[in-house]
Amino acid sequence: MYKLLGKRALVLLAMLSFGLASVGHAAEIKTDKPFATKKIVLQISDPNPFKQTLVLNVASNLLKAYGSENIDIEIVAFGPGLRLLFAENVNKGRIATLSSEGVRFAACKNTIRGMGKKLGHPPAINPTAVKVSAGVSRIMDLVDAGYILIKP
Amino acid sequence: MKLLKKAIITAALAGGMLAVGQAQAANWLMLQGTEKPGQAARAKVWGFVQVQYQNDNSDANKAGGYIPPKLTPPNLSSQSAFNVNRARIGARGTGMPLDSNVNYFVLVEFGNNGITEPGGSFAKLTDASITLNHIPGARIRTGLFKYPGAEEGLQAIHVFDWVNFTDVSNQMLLERFPNQSYTPNIPPQSIPTGTDLQGFDDGVGAFRDVGIQVFDSFMVGAAKDWDLSYALMVGNGNGLNFSDNNSKKDIYAYFSAEKVFKGKGPFREGMKFLGWSQTGVRSYDGNNDGVSENYDRDRWGIGFKLKKSNYRVTTEYMSGDGMIMVGVANPSFGMGPGAGKPGKPGNGLLAEADGWYLEGGYRIPKSNWELDLRYDTYDRLKGDKFEVEFKTWTVGAQYFFNKKTRVTANYASRNYEAINFPSGKGPNAQLDGVNGRASIQLTHIF
């Protein structure tokens, strides 16, 4: 009986460990800036067009203030804010410039799916952006990894 | 035929540009007809208000009475007046923000001006258009909107640097449409005027038409700093009126090439060259026989605009053939022996006209002041015995309270003369005594 329980406990422990490891793996953030002393995640989820300009301005100003090597920035777009990462977005030039300076862009797959239903086809996303399963969970992972969340 | 050739050349030039990259919204065609992809609001409410005071220092005719150029527009009932000449509110955007391929533009005029005063409209729809952006290089705009044409007419009026239009634009391009039936001219009136000197039943065309336009804009060159634009449009040729009064359609063609220096939107700095043409037909009982005839109305022009740092220089030449208005008090399109007699001296239905202007502005560094100077000339009824030359110098100053609010002060020194008549004779009996006009206007954009 105890042996059986012991085996089950071991299996349970192994599963938990695997699960935790998986969670830990999900929270692992790949960055090209290992020496960055500041880590920022910028959220855009607002339909207000002005917010698109604002979030890009904030990223740009942070790079200027700290230097691109010293700050790691990821912009996570979900909900109505995903329009920032539409391939046709008027800010695609600025996005390319920021990307070349190391700013990462994450696009929420849930939002892409939802918008695809309304449009009849998935919206074309800026190739600079990385698609993440959920924008909010991506932000949580980044916060867990020490990033400071800013929602301009 | 000449106009058709110009249209074909313009279209051919434009067609050659289709293979290059698209421009952002950075010229009048694009600013008014498109929205920023991926960023447009569902409904951006916007508008502007212009309040003005004008004082005309002209003398009465020697025989007594006043004519329209000696009175304050649009009511033409006195020589000085406060007026809310423009009060427009509208919305623009994209009904479905997820789809940047469709956008709209709606604007209504509540002010008192040439759009609303004739006919006594309380308000008038000036713009209601839908743009389809599905075909690369060939956007389609349809509805009521500004037709592609001269810079002075096509540019957004709320950023226009003057209170009044030049005479060539006001008289030759800003169309007054023929009345349903022959309408006799209105003689000079004393003040206060007993009869409305505004002889046309409908408001001015406001440089707009109802129709369909194909257009686009492309950034080309090694540095992608040349903005090439084209537009081809077919319209009713009946201004803000929704219906057409004949089966003939107006055809508009436009081409511009702009070297972009910096900036964006209406204040973008650049050097622009442009050319345009329009051709159409108007139906009117011009000979007062109870039956309407068709009259050709053709216009074309070229222009140049330089905006750099604190300077702005613009010049345009415009030419017109047919349907030459000889004054809002003359809805017969004729004066003297030409009233009701197409082809006779003094009648504009088959006549020609042309004109040009040169204007510029200097924004004083580190200040909110701008100084402006403009010279414009208009030659009405060219080669006709009743040919009149309108020459005006206008000095201006603008003070910018902020980017959306400014006050514009102008003083226009006018010299109007029928060149084939001595002073006091023929049209000069009325044009003698046209003097300076002072105006001040406050503009607020929201």
Side-chain angles (χ1 to χ4, degrees):
Chain A
M1 185 67 181
Y2 286 136
K3 279 186 178 177
L4 190 62
L5 280 173
K7 273 188 180 175
R8 283 182 179 171
L10 278 173
V11 170
L12 189 64
L13 191 62
M15 284 173 70
L16 278 169
S17 302
F18 180 76
L20 285 173
S22 301
V23 170
H25 179 72
E28 190 180 315
I29 309 301
K30 288 181 183 172
T31 172
D32 295 332
K33 297 187 178 179
F35 305 112
T37 54
K38 307 281 182 190
K39 297 194 286 186
I40 305 291
V41 53
L42 295 171
Q43 174 185 334
I44 175 151
S45 52
D46 202 298
N48 185 346
F50 175 67
K51 291 290 180 70
Q52 294 186 6
T53 309
L54 188 60
V55 77
L56 297 176
N57 286 351
V58 169
S60 185
N61 290 337
L62 285 170
L63 288 175
K64 278 183 200 160
Y66 293 101
S68 62
E69 290 305 313
N70 301 319
I71 188 163
D72 186 13
I73 302 171
E74 180 163 326
I75 296 176
V76 180
F78 63 95
L82 182 70
R83 292 172 69 207
L84 173 67
L85 298 182
F86 279 12
E88 71 209 359
N89 187 283
V90 69
N91 295 300
K92 61 189 174 190
R94 290 194 70 192
I95 289 170
T97 303
L98 287 169
S99 176
S100 70
E101 293 182 72
V103 175
R104 299 188 305 277
F105 293 86
C108 173
K109 278 186 188 171
N110 285 337
T111 306
I112 293 170
R113 238 183 333 266
M115 288 181 170
K117 284 179 188 170
K118 288 183 182 172
L119 280 169
H121 56 84
I125 299 297
N126 190 316
T128 305
V130 172
K131 293 175 186 171
V132 296
S133 56
V136 174
S137 63
R138 178 66 180 174
I139 288 174
M140 290 170 68
D141 290 347
L142 287 164
V143 169
D144 285 348
Y147 284 68
I148 297 170
L149 171 63
I150 297 174
K151 187 185 175 191
Chain B
M1 197 62 194
K2 276 189 292 182
L3 282 164
L4 186 62
K5 273 186 189 167
K6 285 187 191 101
I8 291 167
I9 292 166
T10 306
L13 280 169
M17 310 305 169
L18 297 184
V20 291
Q22 289 186 343
Q24 308 301 330
N27 59 41
W28 300 121
L29 288 176
M30 302 297 283
L31 279 169
Q32 295 167 7
T34 66
E35 297 293 334
K36 291 176 182 171
Q39 202 181 39
R42 188 183 298 274
K44 180 187 175 187
V45 176
W46 73 286
F48 56 97
V49 176
Q50 289 183 322
V51 182
Q52 65 173 213
Y53 174 80
Q54 294 211 63
N55 185 70
D56 197 309
N57 298 317
S58 299
D59 302 323
N61 299 347
K62 275 191 179 158
Y66 292 84
I67 56 168
K70 296 179 175 180
L71 300 166
T72 51
N75 299 76
L76 307 175
S77 56
S78 71
Q79 285 196 298
S80 67
F82 287 98
N83 185 27
V84 178
N85 57 313
R86 293 188 185 92
R88 296 187 192 175
I89 185 165
R92 59 183 299 176
T94 175
M96 186 174 180
L98 297 184
D99 185 359
S100 296
N101 284 326
V102 185
N103 57 271
Y104 71 92
F105 185 110
V106 179
L107 195 61
V108 179
E109 172 68 278
F110 291 95
N112 178 44
N113 56 36
I115 294 172
T116 52
E117 197 276 335
S121 304
F122 160 68
K124 208 152 187 176
L125 189 69
T126 62
D127 298 84
S129 73
I130 302 163
T131 303
L132 305 175
N133 303 289
H134 297 82
I135 306 170
R139 299 170 195 266
I140 297 169
R141 189 179 187 194
T142 185
L144 169 63
F145 53 94
K146 277 193 171 183
Y147 55 69
E151 179 77 7
E152 192 175 2
L154 184 58
Q155 71 179 306
I157 192 65
H158 53 281
V159 295
F160 184 51
D161 291 297
W162 303 93
V163 176
N164 293 299
F165 290 120
T166 60
D167 268 309
V168 60
S169 281
N170 178 38
Q171 296 194 47
M172 196 182 77
L173 295 187
L174 189 60
E175 188 168 2
R176 275 73 164 184
F177 296 94
N179 293 342
Q180 291 270 328
S181 55
Y182 181 84
T183 309
N185 295 338
I186 304 164
Q189 299 290 307
S190 56
I191 297 177
T193 50
T195 302
D196 187 359
L197 273 164
Q198 175 65 255
F200 291 94
D201 293 341
D202 290 325
V204 299
F207 309 108
R208 288 165 169 84
D209 199 0
V210 181
I212 184 166
Q213 172 183 267
V214 180
F215 71 106
D216 215 333
S217 178
F218 313 91
M219 297 303 290
V220 299
K224 296 273 186 205
D225 57 352
W226 276 93
D227 184 0
L228 304 184
S229 302
Y230 83 96
L232 295 169
M233 179 180 173
V234 179
N236 285 337
N238 206 15
L240 303 178
N241 304 303
F242 289 114
S243 59
D244 199 354
N245 60 357
N246 62 34
S247 59
K248 310 280 187 182
K249 299 292 171 257
D250 276 34
I251 296 171
Y252 306 84
Y254 175 94
F255 175 76
S256 71
E258 180 174 6
K259 163 87 170 167
V260 178
F261 299 138
K262 67 174 186 180
K264 57 186 178 181
F267 305 106
R268 184 172 79 175
E269 293 185 9
M271 179 175 60
K272 180 159 71 175
F273 302 88
L274 63 108
W276 56 272
S277 71
Q278 59 185 82
T279 180
V281 171
R282 302 290 178 266
S283 298
Y284 177 54
D285 177 16
N287 56 11
N288 193 20
D289 64 355
V291 181
S292 287
E293 309 88 42
N294 284 341
Y295 298 95
D296 290 338
R297 181 183 187 276
D298 299 325
R299 304 286 186 267
W300 67 272
I302 52 174
F304 168 81
K305 180 159 196 164
L306 172 67
K307 189 172 169 66
K308 187 170 172 57
S309 185
N310 295 331
Y311 298 92
R312 179 195 77 247
V313 177
T314 317
T315 185
E316 286 194 274
Y317 170 80
M318 310 170 202
S319 178
D321 190 350
M323 296 302 297
I324 303 298
M325 182 193 73
V326 295
V328 296
N330 298 320
S332 76
F333 283 84
M335 61 167 66
K341 293 187 173 128
K344 295 288 183 189
N347 191 289
L349 288 168
L350 303 172
E352 295 181 359
D354 69 357
W356 59 272
Y357 73 87
L358 174 65
E359 69 91 41
Y362 174 67
R363 182 76 178 258
I364 299 171
K366 297 178 183 173
S367 85
N368 294 339
W369 288 95
E370 179 178 299
L371 304 176
D372 300 298
L373 182 64
R374 182 174 75 182
Y375 175 75
D376 71 270
T377 177
Y378 176 50
D379 192 348
R380 191 176 74 186
L381 305 181
K382 274 172 75 83
D384 188 285
K385 182 171 170 40
F386 286 76
E387 181 174 357
V388 175
E389 285 183 354
F390 300 81
K391 295 177 180 174
T392 304
W393 280 99
T394 308
V395 293
Q398 297 193 84
Y399 181 82
F400 294 81
F401 295 99
N402 56 47
K403 281 181 80 172
K404 305 273 185 172
T405 311
R406 72 186 193 278
V407 63
T408 307
N410 287 173
Y411 183 80
S413 174
R414 299 173 294 173
N415 181 14
Y416 294 174
E417 184 185 11
I419 57 176
N420 297 319
F421 289 89
S423 176
K425 301 293 182 189
N428 289 332
Q430 298 183 1
L431 294 173
D432 287 350
V434 171
N435 296 325
R437 182 173 57 191
S439 49
I440 187 164
Q441 176 173 277
L442 181 63
T443 301
H444 180 66
I445 306 162
F446 58 91

